[in-house]
Amino acid sequence: MARADDTERQTAGRGGPGGPPAPGPADLQAFAVQLRRMNGEINRMVHGFAHRNGLHVTDVQALAAILDADEPMTPGRLREHLGLTSGAVTACVDRLERAGHVTRVRESSDRRVVHLYYAADAKPAARSYFRPLAQAAGTALARFDDAELAVALRFLTALNEELALRDASGRS
């Protein structure tokens, strides 16, 4: 049987009438725990892929940035994305190119511009290694209907947008 203080605790910190409910401290804690767990599991896989392929973890982060980019990635944009120096990005791209994971392509209209592409020959190895992650995501997605998934995607998008607004120290 619910007690009055349980109901009060459940509604504490919620938005006003008509507004979206604000998560309470327990909700934020539960989200934080699950996000850390997910981050830990993904990091474990990333470290394994890096080790198996003779790469640094930063190299795998660079590969993900190149793969996920909306437009061809440049070394300068990769530097900004990873928060590295120009020299560190050059070393990273050199390692990835030597390992056959990326190709550098000079822009035909301006030879100074270099675009980075995930090498087509390297994609099958990455797909194979990360298949368990894709399968786990697919299994988890199947537990939710389209409306629930839309909300989850909106939350993850909003969280990533908020995180992108903060510098490395966590300040706005």
Side-chain angles (χ1 to χ4, degrees):
M1 184 164 161
R3 297 187 332 229
D5 59 334
D6 289 339
T7 304
E8 186 177 317
R9 189 172 41 241
Q10 289 172 351
T11 58
R14 304 286 178 185
D27 297 323
L28 289 175
Q29 176 66 21
F31 272 100
V33 167
Q34 293 306 319
L35 288 169
R36 280 192 302 270
R37 285 184 63 199
M38 181 180 66
N39 186 53
E41 291 300 322
I42 291 172
N43 280 339
R44 184 178 53 82
M45 295 188 83
V46 166
H47 279 82
F49 182 80
H51 179 72
R52 179 180 284 188
N53 289 278
L55 302 173
H56 298 171
V57 171
T58 303
D59 300 342
V60 181
Q61 292 170 334
L63 283 173
I66 292 166
L67 182 65
D68 295 342
D70 292 333
E71 56 189 357
M73 182 63 75
T74 64
R77 285 187 32 237
L78 186 60
R79 180 187 60 75
E80 289 174 12
H81 179 80
L82 297 175
L84 299 175
T85 65
S86 296
V89 166
T90 298
C92 173
V93 173
D94 286 347
R95 280 190 304 273
L96 290 171
E97 190 173 42
R98 274 193 311 272
H101 290 280
V102 300
T103 58
R104 287 179 171 122
V105 177
R106 294 210 177 269
E107 179 64 41
S108 60
S109 61
D110 184 349
R111 303 286 296 153
R112 296 171 296 176
V113 176
V114 174
H115 290 154
L116 305 171
Y117 295 97
Y118 204 123
D121 295 351
K123 287 182 181 180
R127 276 191 202 109
S128 175
Y129 186 86
F130 288 104
R131 185 169 290 121
L133 176 60
Q135 290 169 333
T139 301
L141 287 169
R143 295 181 190 175
F144 300 91
D145 64 34
D146 289 346
E148 291 170 314
L149 292 173
V151 170
L153 184 58
R154 271 193 7 248
F155 167 75
L156 291 172
T157 301
L159 179 57
N160 284 323
E161 289 169 353
E162 290 297 322
L163 291 171
L165 295 174
R166 283 144 178 82
D167 65 17
S169 68
R171 294 181 298 230
S172 300

